[in-house]
Amino acid sequence: MKAIRLHELGGPENLVYEDVPDPEPGSGEVVVKVRAAALNRRDVFVTRGMYPGAKPEALPATLGSDGSGEVVARGEGADGPDEGTEVVINPALYWGDDPAVPGKEYRILGLPDEGTFAQFVKVPGDHVLPKPSHLSHEEAAAVPLAGLTAYRALVTRGQVREGETVVVPGVGGGVATFLVQIASALGARVFVTSGDDEKIEAAKKLGAEGGVNYNAENWSKELKGMAGGVDLSVDSVGGPTFDALLSLAKPGGRIVSFGATAGPVEKLVLPKIFLKHLTVLGTAMGTAEEFGAMLDLYAERGLRPTINETFPLEEATAAMGLMEKGSGVGKIVLDVPA
C-alpha cells in the first residue's frame, strides 16, 4: 500500500510517499481501507520532534490520527462494525477505565501506532464507529480528534448549558471551529476572537453571535460590551489571552484550557480566580463514550465540519505547509487513493 512516512525528524519536508506492507489485523483488531484522512497540529509537531515520543528511535512511522473509510478485515474476537461498513476512526487509543483521566496505556493514533496517512490502517475494533450517513468521507475524516477534544471540553468539563455565554478565543482552524459549532448547537451564545476579520465572519456562519479582532488595543473591553459576562471560555491560546478571559468571566464562571499556542501565562492574577470563585479546568482528547456521543450529536443535528482545503495524499508536505501558515478556516483533508 501507499503511505506517508517520516524517516527522520526535521519538518514536513522529510515526509516520504512510499510503498509499505499492508497491515494484518491481530486479535481484537480491524483493518480500515482509508478513504480520507485529516491533519492536526500534532502531525506537524511530530515531524519537528516537538511532540512526546517523537524521537529518532521511533522512526520510521506513518503519521495521521484522523480517518474515515470502510472495514475490510477483522481479527479474531474483534468488536465493532462488520466488514464493508463505512466507519470513522476514534484516534484516542486505550483511554482506560477512569473517565476522568487517561491511563498508562493511552496514546493517540499516528505514532507510535501506524496512522491514517495510508491506504489501510489497523486499529482496535472498538475504535471504529459507523460513519454518520450525511457526512462524506472527507467530512467524516475531519471530525475525530478535533471534534472529540471540543466535545469533552464543552460538555464534560465545561458543563455548557443552553442560554449560557461562551467565548472561543483564536477561532480559525482545528478545534476552535468545532467548539463554535457544538456550543451553538447546544443552545449557547457564542463569541469568538481572531486576528483575521474573515475568520470571525466564518465563525458567525458556524453559529457565533459575534467576535472581535484581538489586534485591537482594547479587544477584551470590546468583547465585554458585546457579550456581557462570560459563563464559559474554552481556551487553546494561553499567554496574555488567559488573563483577559479571567477578567471577562462572570463570578462563578468556568475556563477550560486545552492548549497554549501563545505560551505560558506570565502575569496570572490569582485574585481574579479566587475572589470571583472561578473554576479552571484542564482537558485533552476524550473517552470512547464521549467520541460516540459527539458523533451522535453530529448525526442528530446534521452538523458538518468546515473543510479548509483538500490535498491528494502524496501532497501531505504541502498540506502541512498550509497548516503552518494558519490561513483559511477549518480542517485540512487528504484524499487517499483507492
Side-chain angles (χ1 to χ4, degrees):
M1 69 173 183
K2 292 292 187 180
I4 293 292
R5 303 275 282 172
L6 182 68
H7 287 264
E8 58 180 322
L9 303 176
E13 60 271 19
N14 288 340
L15 294 171
V16 180
Y17 185 60
E18 62 184 4
D19 290 303
V20 295
D22 292 355
E24 295 289 338
S27 177
E29 296 176 328
V30 300
V31 172
V32 175
K33 181 179 181 180
V34 182
R35 294 280 299 277
L39 271 64
N40 293 285
R41 287 281 176 185
R42 176 186 194 274
D43 302 306
V44 176
F45 293 158
V46 167
T47 69
R48 299 195 180 281
M50 297 167 59
Y51 196 87
K55 300 177 181 179
E57 55 267 29
L59 304 179
T62 302
L63 304 188
S65 303
D66 290 341
S68 176
E70 301 96 32
V71 176
V72 294
R74 293 166 55 87
E76 182 179 355
D79 295 326
D82 294 332
E83 290 183 26
T85 304
E86 295 187 326
V87 296
V88 184
I89 297 168
N90 174 8
L93 305 181
Y94 311 114
W95 179 276
D97 297 328
D98 187 350
V101 291
K104 292 182 178 180
E105 299 300 316
Y106 168 74
R107 55 189 184 269
I108 298 174
L109 185 65
L111 190 93
D113 302 76
E114 303 288 11
T116 57
F117 294 173
Q119 290 178 301
F120 298 93
V121 65
K122 178 176 66 174
V123 292
D126 58 359
H127 278 62
V128 296
L129 293 179
K131 177 180 73 67
S133 60
H134 74 290
L135 297 180
S136 67
H137 280 293
E138 288 78 11
E139 290 170 327
V143 171
L145 189 149
L148 175 59
T149 300
Y151 185 90
R152 179 177 173 86
L154 279 168
V155 179
T156 305
R157 301 292 280 158
Q159 295 287 299
V160 66
R161 293 182 287 273
E162 184 177 359
E164 288 192 319
T165 298
V166 174
V167 164
V168 179
V171 77
V175 179
T177 55
F178 288 88
L179 289 167
V180 172
Q181 192 172 51
I182 293 173
S184 177
L186 295 175
R189 300 176 64 230
V190 184
F191 296 86
V192 302
T193 76
S194 176
D196 184 336
D197 291 339
E198 290 184 4
K199 292 183 179 181
I200 294 173
E201 292 304 311
K204 290 180 182 178
K205 294 179 182 178
L206 289 171
E209 189 171 319
V212 300
N213 191 313
Y214 57 64
N215 290 318
E217 184 176 354
N218 295 313
W219 69 264
S220 61
K221 290 183 179 179
E222 183 182 351
L223 185 58
K224 177 78 170 181
M226 181 184 297
V230 177
D231 298 288
L232 171 64
S233 293
V234 185
D235 179 44
S236 65
V237 179
T241 296
F242 190 85
D243 189 59
L245 296 178
L246 295 176
S247 297
L248 288 165
K250 287 180 179 178
R254 294 99 67 204
I255 298 175
V256 177
S257 170
F258 68 94
T261 57
V265 183
E266 296 182 357
K267 296 181 180 179
L268 181 62
V269 183
L270 286 175
K272 291 183 181 180
I273 297 176
F274 60 75
L275 291 178
K276 294 173 74 174
H277 297 263
L278 302 184
T279 300
V280 178
L281 302 146
T283 191
M285 291 294 283
T287 67
E289 291 74 20
E290 289 163 333
F291 186 81
M294 180 271 295
L295 281 187
D296 287 344
L297 178 66
Y298 268 74
E300 292 166 3
R301 304 296 178 93
L303 302 178
R304 296 179 182 274
T306 299
I307 294 178
N308 183 350
E309 192 167 336
T310 301
F311 292 79
L313 179 63
E314 60 265 32
E315 296 181 14
T317 296
M320 288 196 184
L322 177 63
M323 172 166 279
E324 289 194 292
K325 288 179 182 178
S327 57
V329 175
K331 294 285 288 185
I332 300 170
V333 177
L334 301 175
D335 273 332
V336 179

